[in-house]
Amino acid sequence: MDGRDWGTFLLPYEQTVEELKVKFKTMRSELKKREEYTPIEFVTGRVKRLSSILEKAKRLNVKMEDLETGIEDIAGIRIMCQFVEDIRRVAEYIRARKDLEVLYEKDYITNYKESGYRSFHMIIKYPVQTALGQKIVLAEIQIRTLAMNFWATIEHSLNYKYRESLPDEMRVRLKTAAEAASILDSEMSSIRDEILEAQKTFEENSNMTTQILKSIHQLYFYHLVNEAIDTQARFNEIWQAQDMEAMKELLDHVRGLLSAAKKDSLPDGL
């Protein structure tokens, strides 16, 4: 092993991971606001451990001076999706970005590994602005469903335990589990519309509840104490009955009270 400062060596990769996590989380938020649904469930990232970098370099016969180009996943981003269909959509968004360059892709969903591993990988070049200037960093983006990620996490742990020499029985059981995860993804895709509709309804109801409770607090601000107490009592009744139509009517009612209160609070002539 050479005598470089490994902490300094990893700094651009750490910065790359943090920046990409923020960018993809921002993409998730924007898509949700624009379309009320986002193909991104959540985003994680990591910098490969030094021991793992060295082990991979040894396995691939990468020289120490070639680590930056020979090991492409020192910086890693993982994007989780609910449905298999979402993976292709996320990949399209990434290809269209101007702040990174996709070098190549590995489709382990269409062409899954013998072990059963399924995921979609994109190797990218990312220009990170360090204290010493711009540096081009290679990074890997993995896009997969929650089921794929669960399986891959377990397989990774077992491979680490057995140093990638899994017993034959364990390999068979893992492959069977991978097929079961694939069937689960297919079933979820077949009822995708119903799932999304249920999630949308839950989100709308949750937002409506939040708006009513905030509006009740605002009634107290305008000294409409009796109205606030009455509205709270009505909300409690409706909440117990889970009557969403009545909840919508209550929200309209409390908004009307606040609108009138705001007009009354304005100086004459405004």
Side-chain angles (χ1 to χ4, degrees):
M1 187 187 299
D2 59 25
R4 79 180 74 188
D5 182 341
W6 290 100
T8 301
F9 171 78
L10 292 176
L11 280 175
Y13 295 98
E14 293 169 355
Q15 186 175 337
T16 294
V17 168
E18 291 307 311
E19 289 184 11
L20 289 175
K21 282 199 300 184
V22 169
K23 289 182 177 185
F24 289 127
K25 287 178 181 179
T26 301
M27 177 192 291
R28 180 187 187 279
S29 299
E30 182 181 351
L31 288 171
K32 191 163 188 177
K33 288 179 180 178
R34 288 177 179 273
E35 305 176 22
E36 295 184 344
Y37 170 73
T38 172
I40 299 174
E41 186 69 9
F42 62 91
V43 180
T44 62
R46 63 98 186 100
V47 174
K48 211 173 189 66
R49 293 177 181 175
L50 182 55
S51 59
S52 298
I53 295 173
L54 297 177
E55 286 174 7
K56 189 166 187 177
K58 181 179 179 181
R59 189 171 71 251
L60 299 180
N61 293 317
V62 176
K63 296 178 181 179
M64 289 295 103
E65 59 268 27
D66 297 329
L67 287 180
E68 294 182 357
T69 55
I71 307 297
E72 300 167 328
D73 63 343
I74 295 178
I77 295 292
R78 190 167 294 159
I79 300 176
M80 252 62 73
C81 305
Q82 288 192 81
F83 305 101
V84 177
E85 296 85 352
D86 293 338
I87 294 174
R88 310 294 178 186
R89 188 175 169 200
V90 171
E92 283 296 329
Y93 284 129
I94 294 173
R95 292 186 196 109
R97 295 188 69 97
K98 304 300 182 184
D99 54 350
L100 56 83
E101 178 187 348
V102 177
L103 294 180
Y104 66 92
E105 303 172 0
K106 294 182 281 189
D107 184 353
Y108 295 124
I109 298 174
T110 304
N111 305 297
Y112 55 87
K113 292 185 178 181
E114 175 64 24
S115 64
Y117 178 85
R118 291 168 168 83
S119 187
F120 193 90
H121 295 188
M122 306 178 84
I123 303 300
I124 67 166
K125 285 202 303 186
Y126 181 75
V128 64
Q129 302 297 326
T130 73
L132 301 179
Q134 178 174 283
K135 182 177 180 60
I136 302 298
V137 171
L138 295 183
E140 180 182 69
I141 301 173
Q142 298 177 348
I143 316 170
R144 54 176 65 153
T145 65
L146 299 171
M148 292 175 192
N149 188 61
F150 174 69
W151 184 93
T153 301
I154 299 301
E155 190 225 18
H156 178 77
S157 298
L158 289 172
N159 271 323
Y160 183 80
K161 175 182 178 180
Y162 290 100
R163 306 302 266 176
E164 304 208 10
S165 296
L166 287 173
D168 290 340
E169 181 188 359
M170 186 70 72
R171 290 182 184 277
V172 171
R173 295 176 70 178
L174 273 175
K175 190 170 183 178
T176 301
E179 292 169 357
S182 179
I183 291 171
L184 175 61
D185 274 334
S186 296
E187 287 297 318
M188 292 300 102
S189 291
S190 70
I191 55 173
R192 183 175 187 271
D193 291 342
E194 288 82 355
I195 293 172
L196 294 180
E197 183 61 33
Q199 291 175 344
K200 181 181 178 182
T201 299
F202 174 81
E203 191 76 22
E204 289 175 348
N205 292 345
S206 177
N207 290 338
M208 191 159 44
T209 298
T210 300
Q211 291 173 37
I212 291 174
L213 292 176
K214 286 183 176 180
S215 296
I216 291 172
H217 180 74
Q218 287 181 295
L219 289 175
Y220 283 108
F221 175 80
Y222 287 107
H223 306 292
L224 299 174
V225 178
N226 291 333
E227 289 84 348
I229 293 173
D230 291 343
T231 302
Q232 183 69 62
R234 179 61 179 148
F235 170 80
N236 293 342
E237 293 175 5
I238 296 172
W239 176 254
Q240 289 295 327
Q242 287 294 294
D243 185 344
M244 292 302 114
E245 287 302 318
M247 196 76 80
K248 291 177 183 177
E249 293 175 4
L250 183 61
L251 180 58
D252 290 339
H253 173 70
V254 73
R255 281 174 171 169
L257 291 174
L258 285 173
S259 178
K262 289 174 182 177
K263 288 181 180 178
D264 291 341
S265 67
L266 292 174
D268 292 340
L270 291 181

